[in-house]
Amino acid sequence: MVKVYYDADANLELLNGKKIAVLGYGSQGHAQAQSLKDSGLDVVVGLRKDSARWAKAEADGLQVAIVPEACAQADVIQILLPDEIQGRVYAEEIEPYLTEGKALMFSHGFNIHFGQIVPPKNVDVFLVAPKSPGHLVRRMYAEGKGVPGLVAVHQDYTGRAKDIALAYAKGIGCTKAGVFETSFKEETETDLFGEQAVLCGGVSELIKAGFDTLVEAGYAPEMAYFECLHELKLIVDLIYEGGLSRMRYSVSNTAEYGDYMIGPRIITEETRQEMRYVLQEIQDGTFARNWMLENQVKGPQFNAIRKMEQEHQIEEVGAELRRMMPWLKK
Ligand code: NDP
Ligand code: MG
Ligand code: MG
């Protein structure tokens, strides 16, 4: 069984007298920095000079500095920058200040696992990853609760890496819900697989394939949008709250029968085999190499596909229909 840590397993005092640099003030950065500060810890937010978020972080009561200055002051450096730029920022603005005994940390293992960042041997390296988007991390903390998280140690120089990681997890509320022990390899590979095969890649293609099939057969795009995209939220909410069983309990018996009979004809053995290949390409570094190379040449394929996808008919119909839904945020 996987080990789970709670409040009683974590000692916040390990971070007393230490300075924590939270680099980035985006989804995770703003949530983690504010919660650490509210836990009584000494936090500096590291940003670039021209960041639009600088004033925001200061307005939230945080000390802000440019990345190298934040790293020079800090004992613990949490990198919450976009994954694809971490390697470059690390080499130029973090590594020079990563002196003996400091801790380098992450909320995603990509750069360590795939060797884009190779820290010196004389520092601790670990990750604390909330299993939720930043705004929910912050909201749960503010309500005196927390979201579940992951903890993993890559390098334990001080002999206290895991204890410091757990103290940090406590500082953002995660030990209230439970913190699961994992490794950089497991966190990185399962995260990439989940977003590619199921959450982002799988779901997007499934929606488009359903939509295209109905539209090709002459049905109204509006109807296709409602059936194949809009209603997904209802289904996902039910699954999220009570698993597949809750969803199947809630839908009609006709829908449930269709689910059992037809689902396996959509996700076929061939699809499952392809998922195994996708996992292999994550494990052997093929995906990471492609993504890093794509970034090195400034993302021509990424940008072209992004544009094409934004112009798909489902996006045009959807924009029209969502205007009729006053409860949606602009
Ligand atoms: P965001 O894109 O939301 O925020 C990135 C931050 O980095 C911004 O504050 C941006 O500020 C800053 N930034 C970008 N480039 C630079 C630079 N060159 N120098 C200094 N600052 C820079 O990132 P996320 O919070 O989504 O992701 C951060 C990490 O957390 C990633 O490792 C991600 O995998 C992980 N994670 C994210 C989750 C999520 O819910 N989003 C969940 C779990 C983990 P500005 O542009 O204003 O300069
Ligand atoms: Mg991810
Ligand atoms: Mg229906």
Side-chain angles (χ1 to χ4, degrees):
M1 272 303 276
V2 51
K3 181 117 185 59
V4 190
Y5 299 95
Y6 297 96
D7 270 352
D9 305 309
N11 180 7
L12 206 56
E13 284 168 19
L14 285 175
L15 289 170
N16 281 350
K18 290 194 194 271
K19 185 131 197 164
I20 306 169
V22 174
L23 307 184
Y25 204 66
S27 177
Q28 287 298 322
H30 92 282
Q32 296 188 23
Q34 290 185 58
S35 301
L36 293 167
K37 178 174 83 68
D38 291 348
S39 292
L41 301 171
D42 187 9
V43 180
V44 56
V45 172
L47 286 172
R48 29 185 182 190
K49 228 192 188 88
D50 54 352
S51 170
R53 292 158 160 118
W54 190 295
K56 169 91 180 68
E58 281 186 343
D60 292 334
L62 287 149
Q63 186 199 335
V64 188
I66 54 170
V67 170
E69 279 175 18
C71 293
Q73 295 170 23
D75 306 289
V76 176
I77 300 168
Q78 164 66 312
I79 306 186
L80 295 176
L81 308 171
D83 296 302
E84 65 277 15
I85 69 150
Q86 288 183 11
R88 185 177 51 76
V89 177
Y90 172 82
E92 292 166 9
E93 301 175 45
I94 302 172
E95 192 174 30
Y97 308 96
L98 197 55
T99 48
E100 183 182 359
K102 289 194 178 185
L104 182 69
M105 59 178 298
F106 300 84
S107 282
H108 181 33
F110 188 100
N111 282 282
I112 290 290
H113 181 62
F114 290 116
Q116 300 302 298
I117 292 177
V118 183
K121 287 285 163 229
N122 60 359
V123 299
D124 290 342
V125 182
F126 51 82
L127 72 78
V128 173
K131 284 276 85 181
S132 116
H135 71 270
L136 191 60
V137 174
R138 181 58 188 156
R139 178 150 67 83
M140 286 300 104
Y141 180 91
E143 290 178 14
K145 301 170 191 153
V147 301
L150 305 177
V151 65
V153 174
H154 172 70
Q155 199 167 285
D156 185 7
Y157 176 71
T158 64
R160 316 208 69 174
K162 200 203 298 178
D163 292 332
I164 299 169
L166 287 172
Y168 187 101
K170 190 174 192 171
I172 60 172
C174 287
T175 45
K176 280 224 159 65
V179 174
F180 295 80
E181 181 147 53
T182 182
S183 62
F184 273 64
K185 172 179 161 59
E186 184 177 59
E187 187 277 335
T188 304
E189 292 174 354
T190 56
D191 183 86
L192 291 173
F193 180 80
E195 65 202 20
Q196 293 174 18
V198 182
L199 306 174
C200 304
V203 167
S204 302
E205 281 305 309
L206 185 66
I207 290 172
K208 285 189 297 170
F211 176 89
D212 291 343
T213 304
L214 285 176
V215 172
E216 269 167 33
Y219 295 96
E222 290 80 3
M223 294 297 293
Y225 179 88
F226 280 124
E227 288 304 327
C228 300
L229 187 152
H230 181 79
E231 286 189 24
L232 192 64
K233 170 161 170 50
L234 183 81
I235 296 299
V236 169
D237 284 350
L238 290 165
I239 296 172
Y240 187 77
E241 284 160 18
L244 296 172
S245 300
R246 166 78 149 266
M247 180 274 285
R248 287 162 170 165
Y249 168 80
S250 243
V251 300
S252 67
N253 287 337
T254 312
E256 186 178 354
Y257 176 72
D259 172 344
Y260 301 144
M261 291 302 112
I262 308 305
R265 290 174 54 189
I266 304 299
I267 305 300
T268 59
E269 182 47 40
E270 199 187 336
T271 309
R272 287 172 176 260
Q273 186 51 43
E274 197 62 35
M275 282 195 182
R276 292 180 199 111
Y277 294 141
V278 164
L279 182 58
Q280 266 170 29
E281 289 177 12
I282 291 169
Q283 291 169 331
D284 70 16
T286 302
F287 174 79
R289 185 201 58 204
N290 290 345
W291 177 222
M292 289 301 117
L293 288 176
E294 178 70 8
N295 276 292
Q296 271 172 30
V297 291
K298 300 200 170 68
Q301 197 182 21
F302 180 72
N303 292 322
I305 296 176
R306 176 187 264 173
K307 184 157 184 297
M308 270 166 27
E309 287 286 310
Q310 284 168 350
E311 287 165 0
H312 189 282
Q313 189 184 6
I314 199 169
E315 295 296 89
E316 285 166 12
V317 182
E320 286 301 316
L321 291 176
R322 287 191 299 272
R323 258 187 243 152
M324 300 162 69
M325 303 175 193
W327 63 91
L328 296 180
K329 276 188 259 164
K330 290 279 149 352

